[in-house]
Each structure stands twice: as C-alpha cells, then as structure tokens.
Amino acid sequence: MASIHDTMLMPEIRHTELFIGGRWTPASNGKTFPTINPATEEVLAEVAEGTEEDIDSAVRAARDAFEDGPWPRMDARDRGRLMHRLCDLMEEESEELAMLETLDNGKPIRDSRTLDVPGAIETLRYYAGYADKIHGQTIPVRGNRLTYTRREPVGVVGQIIPWNFPLLMLAWKWGPALAAGCTLVLKPAEQTPLTALHMADLAQRAGFPDGVINVVPGDGPTTGAALVRHPGVDKIAFTGEYKTAQIIMREAAPTLKRMTFELGGKSPNIIFSDADLDAAVPAAHHGLYFNQGQCCTAGSRLFVQDRVYDAVVERLAEHNRSYKVGDPLDPQTQQGPQVDKAQFDKVMHYIDLGKEEGAQCVTGGNRVGQCGYFVEPTLFAEVTDRMAIAKDEIFGPVLSVLRFSDLDEIARRANNTFYGLAAAVWTRDIRKAHYLANKLRAGTVWINCYHVYDPAAPFGGFKMSGIGRELGEEGLAHYTETKTVTVDLG
Ligand code: NAI
Ligand code: MG
C-alpha cells in the first residue's frame, strides 16, 4: 500500500553545521549529535554540537557585529526592511519550514502549516514594523537644561529556546532583538535544531550582515551553559523549565546579565455551569491536547462546576474517542508523538501516578503502537487538588478534571500553585468573569476563549512562570537600555 509519504516531497536537510559570523562550520572538536524523528525514532540528521570554544567564537562574532558592524548604525527603517525580506523568504519556503518542523518535532503538519510557520512570520513582521518606532522622551528637569532619553539596543543577546514551538520561539526571540538593533547567538533545543539552522540560511540570503545572527546547536548543560556564563553576552532570554531557569540565574549572576524567562505552568481553566458548553468544551479540549499537550499554557487543571461536571467529562471523552492520533505528516492527524523518549517516559509516569492516586481514567492511559512516542489522549476525572497530576506540569496529552462549587472557593484553588502563566474563565456572567480576571494570579487570563495569542499582546508569567514579558511593546523594552542625556543650556 502506498504510504502518505510517497506523495509528499520530503525536504532536503541542507544545514547541520554551526552558523557563526556568516559561515557554516563544524564543531571545534568535530562532535555531532543525532536529531530524531519522534514519529519513527529514526535519525534525521547528525548536527554539529557547539563547544565552549564555538560559543566563544559566536559571541565574538556577535560582539564584533554589534561594536563595529553596519547593523546597529544602519537606518532603523532598513533594519525593518531586512526583517521583512526574511519573512518574504519564509513565505517562499513555508512548506519546507513546515515539513522540517514536523519531522523534527513530531507536531501535526496541519499545525506546522497553519500555526507555527504563519505565526513566526506574523511575529517577525510585527517587530519589523517596530524597528523605526523605538524612541525616547524629552523630560522637563530642573534648571535650564535639556534632558532626553535614548533607547539603545541592550547589546549581544544569548537566546535559549525549547523544542515545543521551535520556529515560533525563535521568532519571539529574534523579532524584538533584531528590531532593537541587538546581535544574537541562538541555541536551539537539542531535540529540534533543524528549522533554526534553516532560518540562519534564510537570514543570510535576506542579506543580514555577518555576525548579527549566529546559531549554535548543542546540549543545555554544555553549549547552553557556556552561553549563559560568557562575559561577552549582555542578556539571556530563555524559555523552558523553571529548574533550568534557576540554574541560569545562578550561572549568570557573576556577569549580572539582563534576563527574561518564560517558564512553565499548571494553568487553571474554569468552566461555570452558566457557560456556553458548546464553546467551552471544544476549547477546553484544545486547551490541553493541542501540540500533544506540550504547551507552557496548557489548560491542565480543568475546574468544572458541580452541576455540569458529568456532562463536561462525557463530552470531553467523546472528543478523545474521535481524536486522530498518528502520522504527523498526514494532514488529517490531530495529535502526533511526544517530542522524545524522555518526555514520553515522563508522561507515562504521570499517567501511572494518576491511576495509583485514585483518579478515574476515563479515556486513554496507554502508549499508541510500538514505534514512535505516541500517547493516547488521556482524561482523568475526579481529580483532587493534592494529586500529582493536579500539581505538576506533565507536558503531555493528560487532562485532569476537578470539581468545584462556588466562586470564592475556585479563586483560591485556582491560585494554589507556584505557577502563574495563564488561566481561563467560562461564564455568561460578566461580573463573575471580571471578578476572576482580577483575582487570578496569572500573566494571561482568557474569558470565554483559550490559546489566543497575538504578537501585540504581552505574554509571560507571574510567580515561578517567568520574569519579564515577551511580545508587544513590553517584549521589545527588554531588548533596550535607556540612556538619559542632559545638556546644560545655561
Ligand atoms: P529545559 O528547560 O531543560 O530545556 C529548554 C532549553 O534550555 C533547551 O534549549 C536546553 O538545551 C536548554 N538548557 C537545558 N539546561 C541548560 C543549562 N544548564 N544552561 C543553559 N541552557 C540549558 O527543558 P526540557 O528538559 O527540554 O524539558 C523538561 C520539562 O520542562 C518539560 O517536561 C516541561 O515540563 C518543561 N518545559 C517547558 C517549556 C515551556 O514552554 N515553558 C518548554 C520545554 C520544556
Ligand atoms: Mg532539561
């Protein structure tokens, strides 16, 4: 039987080396690491693994480009034009980018095509438009003086991104950095380096000066840590696990780098009995199962009010029974494999814990097939606040449904977590909605919707879910330093 793959054009993997100072080079010690297709467990490519020496070369290239290159001195409008040119090339090669993302990460091709690639382009274009609109203020001060501020690029930025949205996270990091006139060294996740390398190629073809963009794949505790410690880096922007952020904070302390963190969550999604269930249930489903459950904002604590609890659980179970899990290259597929063996094992461990702790496993609970890291969409009902599946970030297709009865109880329980990334409320009562919007300790609150993002809307976490914001004007501000200039006119 012909497989779906026979009819698809497989992209050529053109770049597997480090991109430093505008040149492709192997690692200084020649080392490589395999990047795996999680749907087949096959090696897609051997990729150069950046050493401390390579990180040093990349930071020097970025530093030279920042201090002496054309980039920070170029007209801001021309920087924006280059960013738009990069987006034009992404549009021309969008199918190739989508395929690479799906092969490397395992996400369904329909998501790569309709969300990851267009979302990355939209983010970069949003910030391209900002390049010539970054300005300071004139400030009335005492005496006959002129005081004004300039917003200058923060300098050389080290960017460390995860594997769940490789291209989108790259765009969230490159957009504000490039618009502000910074130069950068990106370390993609070891699970998913391929689209970042392709982007380096596109940036070079778009005409970015050498050294502005450097991409150094490698492991976290070696390659990533070298970037964090390097004294030539002014700022670290990180997305990933809070435990990694704690290490980064410690390692960056001696050089007092600026830092922004976008970390995980255990986001409450609250459905009141007066909600429009026809909208709330599909959104709650998507809120957790989208991207194999590998979203920092996954609505993984679904609180449902007593009166509609059983109905909501039943409708979610129906969704799961018809959810298409399988080959991510098949355009019909809704759920692909987890990104790697480690994540697969973590998810299966939490499923076992849920069963042991007495939650009711309504659907799923098992591996799918024998090859690839596929997990059945798993639904636990009768989950209580103290269970591990209600407290820890699972990062997989495992939804916990909890019961609640009244408004004050739910506000307290929803906030009873050290995370604070996102939250959602479903109700037809506008007072209840805004009461909770104010009360919930989370960087994003959705009312009667879920997973809504926009490049213009600031995104980030309260508490252990992060420091600083990405996207919007606030995201840009984290890539600039304010300089105050005072002239004596007297
Ligand atoms: P991680 O935080 O270890 O990895 C994210 C990035 O940090 C990768 O590029 C990695 O190479 C790098 N890194 C790791 N250790 C480092 C170090 N010591 N210094 C510098 N860079 C370092 O996350 P991991 O291990 O891939 O996933 C573990 C869990 O973290 C997941 O199960 C999930 O719960 C959470 N996570 C949350 C994400 C989010 O979007 N907030 C994304 C990825 C993971
Ligand atoms: Mg890790």
Side-chain angles (χ1 to χ4, degrees):
M1 206 178 84
S3 93
I4 188 108
H5 302 159
D6 300 338
T7 61
M8 289 180 108
L9 204 59
M10 286 297 164
E12 188 192 337
I13 296 170
R14 277 180 279 173
H15 292 292
T16 57
E17 292 188 319
L18 318 173
F19 185 71
I20 298 175
R23 302 227 313 263
W24 295 98
T25 94
S28 65
N29 63 5
K31 244 182 106 178
T32 63
F33 66 96
T35 186
I36 310 275
N37 177 348
T40 60
E41 301 180 37
E42 285 162 3
V43 176
L44 285 164
E46 286 285 337
V47 173
E49 182 171 340
T51 61
E52 192 167 356
E53 203 181 319
D54 296 320
I55 285 290
D56 184 54
S57 306
V59 173
R60 281 170 197 277
R63 180 52 63 190
D64 288 349
F66 185 72
E67 305 291 347
D68 306 313
W71 180 246
R73 273 154 291 278
M74 172 185 294
D75 276 350
R77 205 155 296 157
D78 293 334
R79 278 206 308 270
R81 230 196 319 259
L82 267 181
M83 293 174 71
H84 278 301
R85 174 87 190 109
L86 171 62
C87 294
D88 295 342
L89 294 176
M90 290 173 76
E91 272 159 10
E92 281 169 29
E93 299 191 6
S94 60
E95 180 58 14
E96 196 170 345
L97 283 168
M99 289 281 278
L100 279 178
E101 196 77 323
T102 285
L103 289 171
D104 214 8
N105 167 282
K107 63 176 67 209
I109 188 71
R110 69 178 195 181
D111 291 345
S112 303
R113 281 177 182 150
T114 60
L115 295 162
D116 296 80
V117 175
I121 294 170
E122 193 185 18
T123 305
L124 288 168
R125 288 209 191 279
Y126 169 81
Y127 278 114
Y130 245 124
D132 61 356
K133 299 170 195 68
I134 303 172
H135 42 70
Q137 298 174 307
T138 53
I139 298 167
V141 295
R142 202 197 315 272
N144 188 14
R145 297 181 182 104
L146 165 68
T147 292
Y148 64 93
T149 57
R150 288 167 47 79
R151 287 177 61 200
E152 299 185 356
V154 74
V156 174
V157 184
Q159 304 183 321
I160 300 175
I161 58 172
W163 42 262
N164 52 343
F165 294 95
L167 198 51
L168 209 51
M169 290 302 104
L170 174 151
W172 285 27
K173 302 278 183 286
W174 284 17
L178 295 173
C182 297
T183 61
L184 63 91
V185 178
L186 176 88
K187 193 205 81 65
E190 56 276 21
Q191 295 87 345
T192 54
L194 295 181
T195 44
L197 293 170
H198 194 87
M199 285 295 292
D201 180 36
L202 294 185
Q204 186 166 46
R205 282 191 268 151
F208 278 82
D210 292 349
V212 172
I213 288 172
N214 305 274
V215 178
V216 183
D219 211 8
T222 50
T223 318
L227 187 57
V228 169
R229 282 194 302 262
H230 201 293
V233 173
D234 297 293
K235 170 193 162 87
I236 291 287
F238 170 79
T239 299
E241 194 181 11
Y242 77 88
K243 289 178 189 154
T244 313
Q246 291 170 328
I247 297 171
I248 291 176
M249 265 191 140
R250 280 199 294 273
E251 296 277 306
T255 46
L256 280 181
K257 292 184 172 61
R258 284 93 189 98
M259 285 186 272
T260 43
F261 291 120
E262 200 269 276
L263 312 173
K266 191 73 188 174
S267 299
N269 184 8
I270 303 166
I271 302 181
F272 283 92
S273 56
D274 66 357
D276 174 4
L277 294 190
D278 291 340
V281 173
H285 189 270
H286 185 252
L288 184 284
Y289 294 102
F290 170 57
N291 208 41
Q292 295 66 247
Q294 301 167 148
C295 294
C296 48
T297 47
S300 53
R301 284 188 297 147
L302 180 63
F303 289 98
V304 182
Q305 202 163 18
D306 283 331
R307 203 151 59 75
V308 293
Y309 187 89
D310 293 339
V312 168
V313 167
E314 181 42 40
R315 284 163 79 162
L316 287 166
E318 269 169 42
H319 277 279
N320 277 356
R321 285 191 278 264
S322 62
Y323 208 50
K324 283 207 64 173
V325 183
D327 182 355
L329 288 171
D330 181 340
Q332 302 301 317
T333 293
Q334 293 170 297
Q335 182 185 310
Q338 307 311 118
V339 77
D340 65 6
K341 172 87 166 50
Q343 291 298 314
F344 172 84
D345 288 342
K346 177 181 171 187
V347 174
M348 293 312 292
H349 168 70
Y350 274 104
I351 291 176
D352 290 342
L353 272 181
K355 291 175 180 168
E356 277 166 32
E357 288 181 315
Q360 180 196 336
C361 186
V362 182
T363 70
N366 303 295
R367 180 177 191 173
V368 178
Q370 291 308 311
C371 177
Y373 309 118
F374 296 91
V375 180
E376 287 176 346
T378 299
L379 177 66
F380 279 110
E382 307 304 342
V383 177
T384 60
D385 295 8
R386 294 243 280 272
M387 292 180 185
I389 56 170
K391 289 197 293 203
D392 300 348
E393 181 176 56
I394 302 175
F395 234 59
V398 183
L399 177 56
S400 297
V401 194
L402 302 96
R403 238 177 235 283
F404 78 95
S405 45
D406 72 74
L407 188 61
D408 290 314
E409 169 208 347
I410 194 55
R412 187 180 41 76
R413 286 173 65 197
N415 283 333
N416 187 17
T417 166
F418 62 67
Y419 289 116
L421 194 59
V425 182
W426 296 84
T427 175
R428 285 191 169 95
D429 179 344
I430 195 166
R431 287 166 307 175
K432 237 164 27 194
H434 285 287
Y435 172 80
L436 279 179
N438 290 351
K439 198 103 180 155
L440 291 168
R441 303 266 299 151
T444 293
V445 177
W446 288 299
I447 297 174
N448 294 337
C449 56
Y450 208 93
H451 277 332
V452 179
Y453 309 92
D454 193 285
F459 178 86
F462 281 32
K463 300 193 269 183
M464 301 272 280
S465 287
I467 297 180
R469 293 292 177 270
E470 295 193 289
L471 304 181
E473 192 180 10
E474 220 179 317
L476 182 68
H478 287 291
Y479 284 87
T480 65
E481 293 273 17
T482 300
K483 179 181 282 175
T484 304
V485 181
T486 295
V487 191
D488 191 290
L489 300 174

